[in-house]
Amino acid sequence: MNSYTFYWNNKTWEDRKRETKALIKYVGGKNQWPFSEVGAGDEIFVVTAKNNCLYVGGRLIANGSPIKKTEAARLLPSEQLIDKERYVVANLKLLDIFQGEVSLGATEVQSLEIIDKDGKIGHKKFGPKSFQQDFRNPTKITESSASKLREKLSISVEPANSSGKVSGLASKSETPEEDIRIRESGGVDMTNSTMDKEQPTVFSLDEINGAASDAATIDVALEGFDGEDRDVLAKRRVNQGKFRAALLRYWDSRCCVSGVDDPRLLVASHIVSWSKATKSERGDPANGLLLSVTWDALFDRGLISFRDDGTAILDKLDGALITQLGIDMSKTAIPSESLSPKHREYLGRHRKLYGYE
């Protein structure tokens, strides 16, 4: 997988910020290097420069090489395409939600490793006079630099390892198969048959109860690959992003306990951890709570749990720690009407695992 940055002007950036959950479906540019070398499975980070900072809005996973406008219009019939020579269309099963406020300061930008046409690695000056121009043209970056941008965006998909297999989503535990946190910025599942239809803003209890069978297919092969390339990408856990997107919709993009609504501080938290869940349970939206980073850390470690009525069990926390964490005791419950029978079933298993029952 190769990684690139692609510049959006400030006006386009601000327009996207005003949209509700804007999806990054394509980029358009000139048919010249390095844009011309983008291939299926490569990642493109959309960026802009302002206030002496580089802003990173999200990531596009390319569906294929750059194509002409007529072909792009066929793949994206509902989009009003800007007039460009070539277009790279996103893999529509791996769409990111645009983020407008994630930024890197000058020192961070200057540390990014840039690959030139001859394969040599260098750096951008990104000084007071050059910062608005340094990333105007598409830029190829090293994997270590791409990793920094993913971290900024809370995207944890790792590149292929030496065995030729994608290692999936990074775990915050030392064991790869331990509870894998979902820190993707999007991952909305939009197949060709649904991409021009308006997506629901919330899931009903019936929808979330019935979604497990559809979300259970973790391994998806990507089109347009042969041989080793197909093997590299086919095992990516694409439905991790779908799981987060489902929770964002169901919980109205807010922590279900505290009400925090900044997506950078929200974690799609499994109730029954990844390592202890079955394959179908791992992708089941009812096996998830959308929590702020504080509540996720407590819940993930079993320091708290929740009763069937949604009230938090804080028995393992003393008053001093609750104060230090800034927990508002008037906001320590999940709305009971939002909990389905399947939610309660998973919560019961969480309580049993951590000794609350």
Side-chain angles (χ1 to χ4, degrees):
M1 176 173 65
N2 294 316
S3 302
Y4 307 85
T5 66
F6 190 90
Y7 193 88
W8 281 357
N9 63 42
N10 289 174
K11 183 180 183 303
T12 299
W13 200 268
E14 294 303 316
D15 288 345
R16 282 303 186 98
K17 283 174 62 176
R18 285 190 286 270
E19 296 179 29
T20 302
K21 297 181 181 178
L23 299 172
I24 305 173
K25 297 181 183 180
Y26 77 95
V27 293
K30 295 180 179 180
N31 188 29
Q32 61 186 30
W33 190 91
F35 190 62
S36 59
E37 76 164 21
V38 173
D42 288 345
E43 62 181 350
I44 299 175
F45 297 92
V46 294
V47 302
T48 198
K50 56 181 180 177
N51 305 324
N52 294 307
C53 292
L54 185 72
Y55 285 76
V56 187
R59 184 184 66 164
L60 173 155
I61 301 296
N63 187 57
S65 300
I67 56 178
K68 294 182 179 180
K69 187 175 183 178
T70 52
E71 180 63 12
R74 185 185 67 81
L75 295 174
L76 299 171
S78 64
E79 290 293 301
Q80 295 294 322
L81 300 177
I82 58 177
D83 192 18
K84 296 292 182 179
E85 291 180 14
R86 290 289 187 275
Y87 303 80
V88 171
V89 175
N91 182 317
L92 296 176
K93 294 181 180 179
L94 298 171
L95 291 175
D96 268 14
I97 297 174
F98 176 75
Q99 304 180 59
E101 300 297 341
V102 178
S103 65
L104 288 77
T107 301
E108 292 177 290
V109 179
Q110 290 161 2
S111 71
L112 296 178
E113 297 175 333
I114 310 301
I115 304 173
D116 68 15
K117 196 170 184 178
D118 297 323
K120 296 179 181 179
I121 296 176
H123 301 272
K124 296 288 189 181
K125 292 182 179 180
F126 209 74
K129 295 183 179 180
S130 68
F131 80 93
Q132 288 185 317
Q133 301 300 324
D134 282 343
F135 287 86
R136 284 277 179 177
N137 294 320
T139 303
K140 189 174 183 179
I141 59 177
T142 64
E143 166 52 33
S144 64
S145 295
S147 179
K148 292 179 182 178
L149 299 187
R150 293 187 207 113
E151 184 178 353
K152 280 286 184 179
L153 291 165
S154 297
I155 296 173
S156 50
V157 177
E158 296 178 343
N161 57 33
S162 57
S163 67
K165 301 292 183 181
V166 171
S167 50
L169 297 181
S171 172
K172 68 179 180 184
S173 80
E174 294 182 359
T175 307
E177 289 304 316
E178 284 300 306
D179 190 16
I180 296 174
R181 312 316 309 155
I182 317 303
R183 302 185 186 276
E184 302 247 341
S185 60
V188 180
D189 183 274
M190 295 184 67
T191 61
N192 290 337
S193 62
T194 62
M195 63 189 229
D196 59 344
K197 299 179 182 178
E198 183 177 354
Q199 298 301 302
T201 56
V202 297
F203 285 166
S204 67
L205 291 178
D206 289 339
E207 286 174 312
I208 201 169
N209 284 330
S213 60
D214 182 53
T217 306
I218 301 298
D219 299 334
V220 176
L222 304 181
E223 297 180 359
F225 288 85
D226 295 312
E228 186 176 352
D229 287 337
R230 177 178 290 274
D231 290 337
V232 168
L233 292 173
K235 297 298 181 181
R236 181 175 292 169
R237 293 188 179 111
V238 297
N239 276 312
Q240 294 292 348
K242 182 176 180 181
F243 181 78
R244 175 179 169 85
L247 297 195
L248 284 167
R249 291 185 181 121
Y250 185 77
W251 298 105
D252 197 25
S253 297
R254 296 175 181 273
C255 172
C256 61
V257 181
S258 67
V260 168
D261 61 1
D262 189 324
R264 297 170 297 180
L265 302 177
L266 297 176
V267 180
S269 183
H270 280 88
I271 301 173
V272 175
S273 69
W274 180 278
S275 61
K276 299 183 183 301
T278 65
K279 187 174 181 179
S280 61
E281 290 171 343
R282 291 172 179 174
D284 184 358
N287 185 26
L289 299 174
L290 192 65
L291 298 172
S292 68
V293 289
T294 299
W295 283 96
D296 168 67
L298 295 169
F299 186 68
D300 181 56
R301 291 162 176 77
L303 297 176
I304 64 165
S305 192
F306 295 94
R307 300 181 179 90
D308 283 349
D309 65 359
T311 56
I313 306 173
L314 307 177
D315 299 351
K316 296 182 181 181
L317 306 181
D318 60 31
L321 180 56
I322 289 175
T323 300
Q324 290 171 3
L325 293 173
I327 292 176
D328 183 349
M329 293 303 293
S330 69
K331 296 181 180 179
T332 58
I334 303 168
S336 60
E337 64 272 15
S338 298
L339 293 172
S340 69
K342 292 191 69 178
H343 281 119
R344 295 185 172 93
E345 178 185 340
Y346 287 122
L347 287 171
R349 290 166 62 182
H350 185 273
R351 293 193 300 271
K352 185 175 181 180
L353 175 65
Y354 289 103
Y356 293 96
E357 291 185 350

